[in-house]
Each structure stands twice: as C-alpha cells, then as structure tokens.
Amino acid sequence: MDKFRMLFQHFQSSSESVMNGICLLLAAVTVKLYSSFDFNCPCLARYNALYGLGLLLTPPLALFLCGLLANRQSVVMVEEWRRPTGHRRKDPGIIRYMCSSVLQRALAAPLVWILLALLDGKCFVCAFSSSVDPEKFLDFANMTPSQVQLFLAKVPCKEDELVRNSPARKAVSRYLRCLSQAIGWSITLLLIVVAFLARCLRPCFDQTVFLQRRYWSNYVDLEQKLFDETCCEHARDFAHRCVLHFFASMQSEMRARGLRRDSASQDPEPLEMPEPPEGLDGGSRKAHLRAVSSREQVNHLLSTWYSRKPPLDLLASPGLWGGGLSHRTPTVAPGTRLSQHTDV
C-alpha cells in the first residue's frame, strides 16, 4: 500500500506524468477497441471507399478529441492564449511549447489506430478495391468493364458467391494488403527516425530557450492549480464563517424574544470564538483569505485575476498586483508588522 500511495502522490504532483499516463491508457484502449471491432465491408462500389476511409479516419479523430479533452494543459494553453494582457505580457513561445506538448500526447492514440488499421489491411482493401487497375491482373481480360467493377467491389467479401475461391480475388486482396502494410511500416519507420533524431540532436543545440519555455509552461499550469486550490480553501472558510454568523445572529434573536429556557441574567455572556492561531507557515495566508469577506469582494477578486494577472516580479510595486480590494495601496513603514486584517 505504501508503494501505491507513493506512486499516486507522484502522479498527483506531476502534471506531465499524469498526461503521459493518460496517453498510454488511451493507446491501450485503442488497441483493445480495434481488436474487438467487427469489420464488415458493404462490398458495394459506391460505399466501399466511404466505409473503409471512414473507419480508417473517424475513430482517430474521436480519439484525438478525447486526448485533447483529457489533457488539462489544452485548456490552460487556450486560457493563456486568450487572456487579457494586463500586467503580464504573453509569450508566444510558451504557447507554442504547450501546443506542441498537447498535440504530441493527443496524437499518440490516433496514430496507434491508423497504424493498426494499415498493418491489418482490411480497411485499405475495402476502401481501394474498386480503384485497382484491372490491367495489372490477367484474370480480368475476358470481363466487361461493368463486370470488372462489380467483381472488384466484391473483393473484400471472400464469402460472396461471385468471388468465392477466385484466384483473381486473392491476387487483388494480396496486392492491396501488401500495399497497406508497406505504408504502415513506412509511417512507423518515419516516426521512429524522427523521434530518434529529435532525441539525439536536441543536446547539440542551445537548451536555454527550451528550458525557459518548459519552466514557464509548468509555472502557468501550477499557478492555475494553486489559484483553484486557494479559491476552494477560501470558499470553505467563507462558508464556515457565514454559517457561524448565522447561528450567532439566531442566538441573539432567540435571546431577544425570550426563547431561552434559562433566564438571561443567569446566562453568562457568550464567548467570542477565538481565531485559530496563525503560525509562521499559514498565518499570513489566512489573514489575506479572511480579508475577502463579501460577495462583491470575491467577484472583484476573480475579475481582477482574469483581467489583470500580476507581473512575474515579487519585488514589483504592490500597486501592480491589483491594488487591493479597496483600490488603495497601503503604505507601510519599514520594520512595521502588518495587521492580520486588511481594511476593506
């Protein structure tokens, strides 16, 4: 259990590992789907190409869209591309890096389907059986053009009476299957060569730009995650304080109406609920979260985060970070300790 827990924490803390795992899972699902699919070519001249090419290209398109939906970075990339500039300029290089990363992972499952279909050959035979040149085969010399087209359309259906045990059908099917497998293996070899060259030639060039774009693409993803987590933490704390405020107001109202069983003179004064101690690790964050204490302030905070993201400079003027909820930047003397509650 400890090993599984450590593995789960690793995947949870690493967005790249999660995306790679999803990519491998989609590829495995693709292999399973193709192996369990029942292929039935219509064996009609008008519909063979439509069915074969549709089966060859439609599932990869669906798998590609599933890969985009499952990849969280695709949403982060679009948000980074479409966000207002605000106090933080947009770097097109980061967006291109994120787009490349998203597309590489999303294309894995569609390529697996296409390669499996080409190496198997059934889709290719069905799609292009009617497009074969009859002059390449001697068995069609005694047939009329209409008979040739009808015969070629029936090639994928080996159990059909017209082509059953026909050497011509076997020759056409063998020819198309070999061509399909040649294309499949050529694409596989090309992909392997491209991946090999990309991996081997990358260290030969300057890595500065690559490292910068990788760092800031990870930063954009992690920043959005931390903002969502902080919003959830604030929502929980805000709801907790609203519920406590409701119970306190109801207690005062019941006391004013005399609904208490014991007399008000015998009741001790209600004690104020002490604030939780704020240590060095979370005190300042709690103070900033508790400063946002109304619906208008929360809406203004979310709108400011979307329209004017803070600059990537922790030493910048505080006014560049949104100016506070009251649109005023407090001036603090050096050495003065900030209060735990912000003036709103």
Side-chain angles (χ1 to χ4, degrees):
M1 290 299 295
D2 293 337
K3 293 182 179 179
F4 283 108
R5 188 180 297 109
M6 292 176 60
L7 184 63
F8 177 75
Q9 291 176 354
H10 171 71
F11 277 102
Q12 194 176 31
S13 61
S14 178
S15 177
E16 187 173 358
S17 299
V18 172
M19 293 304 104
N20 291 335
I22 294 176
C23 175
L24 292 176
L25 181 61
L26 285 176
V29 170
T30 301
V31 175
K32 183 63 177 178
L33 284 176
Y34 188 85
S35 61
S36 61
F37 183 78
D38 188 14
F39 183 85
N40 292 309
C41 186
C43 295
L44 297 173
R46 294 182 178 181
Y47 302 104
N48 280 6
L50 183 63
Y51 181 83
L53 293 178
L55 194 60
L56 183 66
L57 301 177
T58 303
L61 179 60
L63 291 170
F64 176 74
L65 296 178
C66 289
L68 292 180
L69 291 175
N71 195 336
R72 183 180 179 275
Q73 280 196 342
S74 59
V75 179
V76 177
M77 177 194 65
V78 176
E79 290 177 352
E80 179 67 16
W81 175 41
R82 298 297 301 169
R83 70 171 175 84
T85 303
H87 300 303
R88 182 188 302 178
R89 67 180 182 88
K90 292 188 283 187
D91 187 356
I94 298 176
I95 299 176
R96 287 195 298 268
Y97 177 85
M98 297 177 70
C99 181
S100 174
S101 177
V102 168
L103 290 179
Q104 288 177 15
R105 293 185 174 93
L107 286 173
L111 285 176
V112 170
W113 179 279
I114 292 175
L115 292 177
L116 286 176
L118 289 175
L119 295 177
D120 186 44
K122 294 179 181 178
C123 295
F124 196 87
V125 171
C126 180
F128 297 101
S129 62
S130 299
S131 304
V132 173
D133 186 6
E135 296 181 357
K136 295 182 178 180
F137 304 93
L138 300 178
D139 299 310
F140 299 114
N142 298 327
M143 295 184 184
T144 63
S146 59
Q147 291 176 339
V148 170
Q149 290 300 319
L150 179 62
F151 185 91
L152 292 177
K154 298 293 184 179
V155 166
C157 302
K158 60 182 180 180
E159 299 299 330
D160 192 274
E161 296 181 358
L162 182 63
V163 297
R164 185 183 300 173
N165 300 324
S166 172
R169 188 207 71 82
K170 295 180 180 178
V172 174
S173 178
R174 189 183 306 111
Y175 168 76
L176 291 174
R177 192 179 294 269
C178 291
L179 185 60
S180 175
Q181 291 178 352
I183 296 175
W185 283 115
S186 299
I187 295 176
T188 304
L189 180 61
L190 179 62
L191 293 175
I192 294 175
V193 170
V194 170
F196 174 79
L197 292 178
R199 179 60 64 91
C200 294
L201 296 180
R202 181 191 296 176
C204 300
F205 299 94
D206 187 10
Q207 297 293 302
T208 303
V209 176
F210 171 76
L211 293 176
Q212 290 174 350
R213 291 176 178 176
R214 182 177 181 180
Y215 175 88
W216 289 116
S217 65
N218 291 333
Y219 171 85
V220 171
D221 188 16
L222 291 174
E223 182 188 53
Q224 188 62 39
K225 283 184 179 180
L226 290 175
F227 181 78
D228 294 340
E229 292 174 1
T230 307
C231 286
C232 291
E233 182 181 354
H234 177 270
R236 179 180 294 274
D237 181 73
F238 188 55
H240 179 68
R241 286 188 290 160
C242 286
V243 172
L244 291 181
H245 181 73
F246 170 77
F247 275 95
S249 61
M250 290 299 298
Q251 183 181 9
S252 302
E253 184 178 352
M254 287 188 296
R255 180 180 299 165
R257 295 183 180 183
L259 298 179
R260 302 271 301 201
R261 288 185 297 179
D262 47 353
S263 61
S265 59
Q266 296 179 356
D267 258 352
E269 290 296 328
L271 299 177
E272 294 290 337
M273 183 172 295
E275 294 290 338
E278 298 176 350
L280 297 176
D281 55 346
S284 177
R285 182 178 62 179
K286 275 291 185 181
H288 292 312
L289 291 179
R290 292 179 181 274
V292 185
S293 56
S294 68
R295 182 174 182 176
E296 291 75 14
Q297 292 175 353
V298 172
N299 292 337
H300 175 68
L301 183 145
L302 297 176
S303 175
T304 303
W305 176 262
Y306 173 75
S307 60
R308 300 194 306 273
K309 281 196 174 182
L312 298 175
D313 186 3
L314 297 179
L315 300 180
S317 173
L320 297 178
W321 289 77
L325 295 174
S326 60
H327 305 281
R328 294 176 296 158
T329 304
T331 303
V332 182
T336 304
R337 182 180 180 184
L338 293 177
S339 174
Q340 293 181 355
H341 300 280
T342 305
D343 182 18
V344 294

